[in-house]
Amino acid sequence: MKKYNFYAGPSILPPYTLENTAKAVLDLNGTGLSVMEISHRSKDFIAIMDEAGALFVELLDIPDGYSVLFLGGGASLQFAMLPFNLLNKKAAFLNTGAWSKKAIKEAKLFGEVDVVASSEDKNFNYVPKGYTIPTDADYFHITTNNTIYGTEIRNDLDSPVLLVADMSSDIFSRPVDISKYAVIYGGAQKNLAPAGMTFVIIKNDILGNVDRPIPTMLNYQTHIDKGSMFNTPPCLNIYAALQTLRWLKKNGGITEMGKKNDAKADLLYNEIDRNKLFEGTAQHEDRSIMNICFVMKDEFKELEGEFFEFATSKGMIGIKGHRSVGGFRASTYNALPIDSVKALIEVMQAFEESH
Ligand SMILES: *Cc1c(COP(=O)(O)O)cnc(C)c1O
């Protein structure tokens, strides 16, 4: 049976990425060696690294003065690396969910934290607005896409201080004005590559302003100076990321990707709003185009288990909502074809007809 992969992360990757990575695991470009068994200092691997970095710059239109880093440790290590490198006195945060909270917790180890606004009062079903970013903060941190709650900040904010964004689950999903950000980071496993690689887009001139000693591996300057090759980088993951980046370019880049993502999200949200059994959990104006969360309306709540079984029997994979929201979550990342969304909608409609 055909499987439709709606997992939130690790999640669906383009067949192009999987096929080319599988080939290179056996033989990289006819070298007779696996991409897993060549030196990261070899000419073949340096070419991979260079092309991946160049495609980041090209696809995201990254201006001069930034570096693109490929590190280990996941987005979660960045929660600590950021304050380690940037927090002198105070950092400001927008609290929009579980990932924001984890970032806040780490920053508190390094200095004062000002949570300028939070949507925790409504289980993070919206993005706070109308807050003021303190001008004496060292930086302001946001999570642009809240993977668990299905809300998203889709405009690039104007910040009076350095703007830092966790874009783990919406990088490459739509065009972004990079020049508004000092740092953009994320784990690769939502929209780019297998888990185990972290990307960091960082403005070069923001470093060197904290007094504390920084361990070499946790110092962004180390990785900028060494082109992410201070130690052995996650080579296979970077190779897989390169394939996804090439696929993005072949498919019209992120403007085109953004249009496709909008179309997928519109289709599914329209069905959620139309279908008598379901309702969305996120407030309309803040709805994510990457993680679409919905539940059964109160009067149909007892049908959730049955719908889950039914959808699973039709090949829908990974649609269970996160335990802190319940219900269902369809992740509609770049690699998810619109036909998968249509298949899910058919399942929702078939279930509605029989109830
Ligand atoms: C998945 C996710 C993370 C955690 O990423 P790891 O690579 O597992 O540390 C952080 N932030 C957001 C927004 C995520 O979706």
Side-chain angles (χ1 to χ4, degrees):
M1 185 181 48
K2 181 165 169 46
K3 298 276 169 77
Y4 301 90
N5 183 356
F6 292 96
Y7 273 126
S11 40
I12 188 166
L13 289 168
Y16 181 89
T17 301
L18 300 179
E19 282 158 18
N20 287 331
T21 305
K23 276 187 209 147
V25 164
L26 298 175
D27 181 5
L28 175 68
N29 305 331
T31 55
L33 299 168
S34 168
V35 65
M36 297 196 295
E37 53 183 16
I38 59 165
S39 167
H40 60 298
R41 311 274 177 209
S42 66
K43 143 176 130 329
D44 288 297
F45 189 75
I46 289 170
I48 292 164
M49 202 70 170
D50 288 349
E51 188 185 342
L55 280 173
F56 253 77
V57 171
E58 182 181 337
L59 290 164
L60 290 169
D61 200 9
I62 301 175
D64 287 345
Y66 286 78
S67 297
V68 178
L69 310 177
F70 301 129
L71 309 175
S76 299
L77 183 60
Q78 296 308 307
F79 298 161
M81 257 173 97
L82 283 159
F84 219 136
N85 284 264
L86 297 177
L87 203 170
N88 240 329
K89 198 167 167 292
K90 179 163 94 177
F93 280 79
L94 189 63
N95 182 12
T96 53
W99 298 116
S100 302
K101 282 171 79 168
K102 288 189 172 169
I104 289 167
K105 177 168 180 249
E106 297 306 300
K108 283 182 176 165
L109 298 171
F110 298 92
E112 190 188 330
V113 168
D114 182 351
V115 179
V116 301
S118 166
S119 47
E120 194 160 16
D121 58 334
K122 291 191 177 152
N123 199 29
F124 300 113
N125 74 355
Y126 69 104
V127 174
K129 291 160 201 85
Y131 51 83
T132 309
I133 304 166
T135 52
D136 62 342
D138 296 311
Y139 62 93
F140 177 52
H141 180 284
I142 58 173
T143 312
T144 50
N145 187 61
N146 298 287
T147 323
I148 293 174
Y149 304 91
T151 64
E152 187 172 13
I153 301 170
R154 296 187 62 194
N155 56 324
D156 301 304
L157 305 182
D158 289 308
S159 168
V161 298
L162 301 180
L163 183 61
V164 174
D166 176 355
M167 291 199 189
S168 293
S169 51
D170 60 350
I171 190 75
F172 295 115
S173 68
R174 61 182 152 81
V176 168
D177 181 355
I178 304 286
S179 69
K180 295 225 170 144
Y181 300 83
V183 184
I184 296 172
Y185 68 95
Q189 68 272 25
K190 312 282 164 58
N191 228 355
L192 187 61
M197 171 197 151
T198 314
F199 64 85
V200 180
I201 302 162
I202 185 166
K203 210 166 180 221
N204 296 326
D205 66 7
I206 64 170
L207 298 171
N209 298 321
V210 294
D211 300 327
R212 69 180 68 86
I214 306 174
T216 312
M217 265 301 280
L218 299 183
N219 194 330
Y220 288 119
Q221 198 63 56
T222 306
H223 302 292
I224 293 173
D225 292 345
K226 300 288 182 186
S228 305
M229 294 266 220
F230 168 73
N231 71 324
T232 319
C235 299
L236 179 62
N237 307 63
I238 293 169
Y239 186 82
L242 172 60
Q243 305 315 307
T244 304
L245 295 165
R246 285 180 179 167
W247 174 83
L248 280 166
K249 186 172 169 177
K250 279 181 204 295
N251 286 280
I254 52 179
T255 304
E256 199 49 44
M257 207 45 65
K259 285 183 200 154
K260 287 183 179 152
N261 289 330
D262 282 341
K264 287 185 283 178
D266 280 350
L267 262 189
L268 187 49
Y269 281 125
N270 285 340
E271 175 59 19
I272 291 166
D273 293 342
R274 186 211 60 77
N275 194 305
K276 70 169 195 259
L277 303 176
F278 299 97
E279 64 187 357
T281 57
Q283 280 188 12
H284 281 237
E285 72 272 20
D286 299 324
R287 283 173 157 184
S288 167
I289 57 164
M290 293 278 96
N291 307 99
I292 297 178
C293 297
F294 55 105
V295 292
M296 258 151 173
K297 287 182 185 150
D298 280 343
E299 59 269 40
F300 300 109
K301 269 282 184 264
E302 77 281 1
L303 292 176
E304 280 194 350
E306 198 188 316
F307 176 71
F308 182 75
E309 294 299 318
F310 179 67
T312 305
S313 78
K314 300 288 184 194
M316 303 297 137
I317 306 293
I319 60 161
K320 213 183 206 38
H322 190 273
R323 62 187 178 281
S324 51
V325 181
F328 310 99
R329 169 175 53 178
S331 296
T332 49
Y333 296 122
N334 286 344
L336 186 91
I338 196 160
D339 286 347
S340 298
V341 173
K342 290 179 181 162
L344 176 58
I345 289 171
E346 274 171 30
V347 166
M348 292 164 75
Q349 291 177 345
F351 195 76
E352 180 191 31
E353 270 160 34
S354 57
H355 288 85

